[in-house]
Structure formats: C-alpha cells, structure tokens
Short mmCIF file of all heavy atoms in Angstrom, two decimals:
data_model
loop_
_atom_site.label_atom_id
_atom_site.label_comp_id
_atom_site.label_asym_id
_atom_site.label_seq_id
_atom_site.Cartn_x
_atom_site.Cartn_y
_atom_site.Cartn_z
N PRO A 1 83.72 99.95 100.05
CA PRO A 1 84.46 99.27 101.13
C PRO A 1 85.96 99.51 101.03
O PRO A 1 86.53 99.55 99.93
CB PRO A 1 84.12 97.79 100.90
CG PRO A 1 82.82 97.80 100.15
CD PRO A 1 82.88 99.01 99.28
N GLU A 2 86.61 99.64 102.17
CA GLU A 2 88.05 99.90 102.20
C GLU A 2 88.85 98.72 101.66
O GLU A 2 89.97 98.91 101.17
CB GLU A 2 88.50 100.22 103.62
CG GLU A 2 88.00 101.56 104.14
CD GLU A 2 88.63 101.92 105.47
OE1 GLU A 2 89.85 101.76 105.61
OE2 GLU A 2 87.91 102.36 106.38
N ASP A 3 88.28 97.51 101.72
CA ASP A 3 89.02 96.34 101.24
C ASP A 3 88.69 96.01 99.79
O ASP A 3 89.07 94.94 99.29
CB ASP A 3 88.74 95.13 102.13
CG ASP A 3 87.29 94.68 102.10
OD1 ASP A 3 86.44 95.42 101.54
OD2 ASP A 3 86.99 93.58 102.62
N MET A 4 88.01 96.90 99.08
CA MET A 4 87.73 96.69 97.67
C MET A 4 88.79 97.42 96.85
O MET A 4 88.86 98.65 96.86
CB MET A 4 86.32 97.20 97.31
CG MET A 4 85.87 96.81 95.92
SD MET A 4 84.13 97.22 95.62
CE MET A 4 83.31 95.98 96.65
N PRO A 5 89.63 96.71 96.12
CA PRO A 5 90.73 97.35 95.39
C PRO A 5 90.21 98.30 94.31
O PRO A 5 89.19 98.05 93.66
CB PRO A 5 91.47 96.16 94.76
CG PRO A 5 91.07 94.97 95.56
CD PRO A 5 89.67 95.24 96.00
N THR A 6 90.94 99.40 94.13
CA THR A 6 90.61 100.39 93.10
C THR A 6 91.79 100.56 92.15
O THR A 6 92.89 100.04 92.40
CB THR A 6 90.30 101.75 93.73
OG1 THR A 6 91.53 102.31 94.25
CG2 THR A 6 89.27 101.64 94.84
N ILE A 7 91.57 101.32 91.11
CA ILE A 7 92.65 101.63 90.18
C ILE A 7 93.78 102.36 90.88
O ILE A 7 94.95 102.23 90.51
CB ILE A 7 92.11 102.44 88.99
CG1 ILE A 7 93.16 102.52 87.88
CG2 ILE A 7 91.63 103.82 89.41
CD1 ILE A 7 92.64 103.13 86.59
N ALA A 8 93.45 103.12 91.94
CA ALA A 8 94.49 103.82 92.69
C ALA A 8 95.40 102.84 93.42
O ALA A 8 96.62 103.03 93.48
CB ALA A 8 93.86 104.82 93.67
N HIS A 9 94.82 101.80 94.01
CA HIS A 9 95.64 100.76 94.63
C HIS A 9 96.56 100.12 93.59
O HIS A 9 97.76 99.91 93.83
CB HIS A 9 94.76 99.66 95.25
CG HIS A 9 94.01 100.08 96.47
ND1 HIS A 9 92.67 100.35 96.47
CD2 HIS A 9 94.42 100.26 97.75
CE1 HIS A 9 92.27 100.68 97.69
NE2 HIS A 9 93.32 100.63 98.49
N ALA A 10 95.99 99.81 92.42
CA ALA A 10 96.76 99.12 91.38
C ALA A 10 97.89 99.99 90.85
O ALA A 10 99.01 99.51 90.63
CB ALA A 10 95.82 98.71 90.24
N MET A 11 97.62 101.28 90.66
CA MET A 11 98.65 102.18 90.13
C MET A 11 99.74 102.42 91.16
O MET A 11 100.93 102.53 90.81
CB MET A 11 98.00 103.49 89.69
CG MET A 11 96.98 103.33 88.57
SD MET A 11 97.70 102.83 87.00
CE MET A 11 98.33 104.40 86.41
N THR A 12 99.37 102.50 92.42
CA THR A 12 100.36 102.66 93.48
C THR A 12 101.27 101.43 93.53
O THR A 12 102.50 101.55 93.61
CB THR A 12 99.69 102.87 94.85
OG1 THR A 12 98.85 104.02 94.79
CG2 THR A 12 100.72 103.08 95.94
N ALA A 13 100.66 100.25 93.46
CA ALA A 13 101.45 99.01 93.50
C ALA A 13 102.36 98.89 92.28
O ALA A 13 103.42 98.26 92.35
CB ALA A 13 100.50 97.82 93.57
N ALA A 14 101.97 99.52 91.16
CA ALA A 14 102.77 99.46 89.94
C ALA A 14 103.93 100.45 89.94
O ALA A 14 104.72 100.47 88.99
CB ALA A 14 101.88 99.71 88.72
N GLY A 15 104.03 101.27 91.00
CA GLY A 15 105.15 102.18 91.10
C GLY A 15 104.83 103.65 90.88
O GLY A 15 105.74 104.48 90.83
N TYR A 16 103.56 103.98 90.77
CA TYR A 16 103.15 105.37 90.54
C TYR A 16 102.98 106.14 91.85
O TYR A 16 102.63 105.57 92.89
CB TYR A 16 101.83 105.41 89.77
CG TYR A 16 101.99 105.29 88.27
CD1 TYR A 16 102.13 104.03 87.68
CD2 TYR A 16 102.00 106.40 87.46
CE1 TYR A 16 102.28 103.90 86.31
CE2 TYR A 16 102.15 106.28 86.08
CZ TYR A 16 102.29 105.03 85.51
OH TYR A 16 102.45 104.91 84.16
N ASP A 17 103.25 107.44 91.76
CA ASP A 17 102.85 108.37 92.81
C ASP A 17 101.41 108.75 92.49
O ASP A 17 101.14 109.47 91.54
CB ASP A 17 103.74 109.61 92.80
CG ASP A 17 103.34 110.64 93.85
OD1 ASP A 17 102.62 110.27 94.81
OD2 ASP A 17 103.72 111.82 93.71
N THR A 18 100.46 108.25 93.26
CA THR A 18 99.03 108.42 92.96
C THR A 18 98.48 109.58 93.78
O THR A 18 98.50 109.56 95.00
CB THR A 18 98.26 107.13 93.26
OG1 THR A 18 98.50 106.73 94.61
CG2 THR A 18 98.70 106.01 92.33
N VAL A 19 97.94 110.56 93.07
CA VAL A 19 97.47 111.79 93.72
C VAL A 19 96.05 112.10 93.24
O VAL A 19 95.78 112.09 92.03
CB VAL A 19 98.39 112.99 93.42
CG1 VAL A 19 97.91 114.23 94.17
CG2 VAL A 19 99.83 112.66 93.76
N LEU A 20 95.18 112.39 94.17
CA LEU A 20 93.84 112.86 93.87
C LEU A 20 93.75 114.33 94.22
O LEU A 20 93.92 114.70 95.38
CB LEU A 20 92.80 112.06 94.65
CG LEU A 20 91.35 112.56 94.59
CD1 LEU A 20 90.83 112.58 93.16
CD2 LEU A 20 90.44 111.71 95.48
N ALA A 21 93.50 115.17 93.22
CA ALA A 21 93.33 116.61 93.46
C ALA A 21 91.87 116.95 93.22
O ALA A 21 91.40 116.94 92.09
CB ALA A 21 94.22 117.42 92.52
N GLY A 22 91.14 117.21 94.30
CA GLY A 22 89.76 117.63 94.15
C GLY A 22 88.74 116.53 94.39
O GLY A 22 88.91 115.66 95.23
N ARG A 23 87.70 116.55 93.58
CA ARG A 23 86.48 115.80 93.85
C ARG A 23 86.57 114.32 93.50
O ARG A 23 87.13 113.95 92.47
CB ARG A 23 85.33 116.43 93.06
CG ARG A 23 83.99 115.73 93.24
CD ARG A 23 82.86 116.63 92.87
NE ARG A 23 81.57 115.98 92.97
CZ ARG A 23 80.94 115.72 94.10
NH1 ARG A 23 81.51 116.03 95.26
NH2 ARG A 23 79.76 115.14 94.10
N MET A 24 85.97 113.48 94.37
CA MET A 24 85.72 112.09 94.03
C MET A 24 84.43 111.59 94.68
O MET A 24 83.93 110.54 94.36
CB MET A 24 86.91 111.20 94.42
CG MET A 24 86.84 109.79 93.86
SD MET A 24 86.59 109.70 92.07
CE MET A 24 88.20 110.12 91.46
N HIS A 25 83.89 112.35 95.62
CA HIS A 25 82.60 112.02 96.26
C HIS A 25 82.66 110.71 97.04
O HIS A 25 81.74 109.89 96.99
CB HIS A 25 81.47 111.98 95.23
CG HIS A 25 80.13 112.30 95.81
ND1 HIS A 25 79.09 112.83 95.08
CD2 HIS A 25 79.65 112.21 97.07
CE1 HIS A 25 78.04 113.02 95.84
NE2 HIS A 25 78.36 112.65 97.07
N PHE A 26 83.76 110.51 97.77
CA PHE A 26 83.85 109.35 98.65
C PHE A 26 82.96 109.58 99.87
O PHE A 26 82.93 110.67 100.45
CB PHE A 26 85.29 109.14 99.13
CG PHE A 26 86.22 108.62 98.07
CD1 PHE A 26 87.49 109.14 97.93
CD2 PHE A 26 85.84 107.58 97.23
CE1 PHE A 26 88.37 108.66 96.97
CE2 PHE A 26 86.72 107.08 96.27
CZ PHE A 26 87.98 107.63 96.15
N LYS A 27 82.29 108.53 100.32
CA LYS A 27 81.56 108.56 101.59
C LYS A 27 82.40 107.86 102.66
O LYS A 27 83.16 106.94 102.37
CB LYS A 27 80.22 107.84 101.45
CG LYS A 27 79.27 108.48 100.47
CD LYS A 27 78.77 109.84 100.93
CE LYS A 27 77.83 109.74 102.11
NZ LYS A 27 77.17 111.01 102.41
N GLY A 28 82.24 108.34 103.90
CA GLY A 28 82.87 107.66 105.01
C GLY A 28 84.25 108.16 105.35
O GLY A 28 84.74 109.17 104.84
N HIS A 29 84.91 107.41 106.24
CA HIS A 29 86.20 107.83 106.80
C HIS A 29 87.32 107.80 105.76
O HIS A 29 88.16 108.71 105.72
CB HIS A 29 86.56 106.93 107.98
CG HIS A 29 87.94 107.18 108.53
ND1 HIS A 29 88.24 108.30 109.28
CD2 HIS A 29 89.09 106.47 108.42
CE1 HIS A 29 89.52 108.26 109.61
NE2 HIS A 29 90.06 107.17 109.11
N ASP A 30 87.37 106.76 104.94
CA ASP A 30 88.45 106.62 103.96
C ASP A 30 88.20 107.57 102.80
O ASP A 30 87.28 107.37 101.99
CB ASP A 30 88.51 105.18 103.46
CG ASP A 30 89.72 104.93 102.56
OD1 ASP A 30 90.42 105.90 102.22
OD2 ASP A 30 89.94 103.75 102.19
N GLN A 31 89.00 108.61 102.69
CA GLN A 31 88.85 109.60 101.63
C GLN A 31 89.95 109.48 100.58
O GLN A 31 90.13 110.40 99.78
CB GLN A 31 88.83 111.01 102.23
CG GLN A 31 87.56 111.33 103.00
CD GLN A 31 86.35 111.40 102.08
OE1 GLN A 31 86.29 112.24 101.18
NE2 GLN A 31 85.36 110.54 102.31
N ASN A 32 90.66 108.36 100.59
CA ASN A 32 91.73 108.14 99.60
C ASN A 32 91.50 106.90 98.74
O ASN A 32 91.76 106.92 97.55
CB ASN A 32 93.09 108.04 100.29
CG ASN A 32 93.59 109.40 100.74
OD1 ASN A 32 92.83 110.27 101.14
ND2 ASN A 32 94.90 109.60 100.65
N HIS A 33 91.08 105.80 99.34
CA HIS A 33 90.81 104.55 98.62
C HIS A 33 91.92 104.18 97.65
O HIS A 33 91.69 103.89 96.48
CB HIS A 33 89.46 104.62 97.90
CG HIS A 33 88.29 104.50 98.83
ND1 HIS A 33 87.86 103.30 99.33
CD2 HIS A 33 87.49 105.46 99.37
CE1 HIS A 33 86.83 103.50 100.12
NE2 HIS A 33 86.59 104.82 100.17
N GLY A 34 93.14 104.22 98.15
CA GLY A 34 94.29 103.78 97.37
C GLY A 34 95.18 104.90 96.86
O GLY A 34 96.33 104.65 96.50
N PHE A 35 94.67 106.13 96.82
CA PHE A 35 95.53 107.25 96.43
C PHE A 35 96.51 107.54 97.57
O PHE A 35 96.13 107.57 98.75
CB PHE A 35 94.69 108.50 96.15
CG PHE A 35 93.92 108.45 94.86
CD1 PHE A 35 92.60 108.04 94.84
CD2 PHE A 35 94.54 108.78 93.66
CE1 PHE A 35 91.89 107.98 93.65
CE2 PHE A 35 93.84 108.73 92.47
CZ PHE A 35 92.51 108.32 92.46
N ALA A 36 97.77 107.78 97.21
CA ALA A 36 98.78 108.04 98.22
C ALA A 36 98.59 109.41 98.87
O ALA A 36 98.90 109.58 100.05
CB ALA A 36 100.18 107.96 97.59
N ARG A 37 98.08 110.36 98.08
CA ARG A 37 97.89 111.73 98.59
C ARG A 37 96.61 112.30 98.03
O ARG A 37 96.13 111.89 96.97
CB ARG A 37 99.05 112.63 98.17
CG ARG A 37 100.37 112.34 98.83
CD ARG A 37 101.41 113.35 98.37
NE ARG A 37 101.87 113.09 97.01
CZ ARG A 37 102.43 114.00 96.22
NH1 ARG A 37 102.54 115.26 96.66
NH2 ARG A 37 102.88 113.68 95.02
N ARG A 38 96.06 113.29 98.77
CA ARG A 38 94.88 114.00 98.29
C ARG A 38 95.07 115.49 98.50
O ARG A 38 95.46 115.93 99.59
CB ARG A 38 93.62 113.52 99.01
CG ARG A 38 92.37 114.19 98.47
CD ARG A 38 91.11 113.49 98.86
NE ARG A 38 89.98 114.09 98.16
CZ ARG A 38 88.73 113.69 98.27
NH1 ARG A 38 88.44 112.67 99.06
NH2 ARG A 38 87.76 114.30 97.60
#
C-alpha cells in the first residue's frame, strides 16, 4: 500500500537522498514507495 511507510520514507525524512537503482519488484503504479529517485 502507498500509505504504508517504508525505510525509504524514513531515510528521506531523516535528510537522505534516497535512490533505488534497479530491482525491487514493486507491483502497481507506485514504483518508488518512498525513494526520491529510481
């Protein structure tokens, strides 16, 4: 679910530039789930 917080949300809120490079196997429209960039 998009409203379920992830470690990416937490790290972004803590001041990190959160980047996902490559695979995570997300289903659905939201392909970031808290990562600022992919």
Side-chain angles (χ1 to χ4, degrees):
E2 291 188 45
D3 64 350
M4 189 172 288
T6 70
I7 192 172
H9 289 105
M11 298 293 280
T12 302
Y16 276 82
D17 179 19
T18 55
V19 183
L20 171 60
R23 179 160 177 75
M24 192 53 76
H25 208 154
F26 288 137
K27 297 293 290 190
H29 174 73
D30 187 353
Q31 289 292 298
N32 284 36
H33 285 281
F35 287 96
R37 291 182 285 159
R38 183 164 187 179

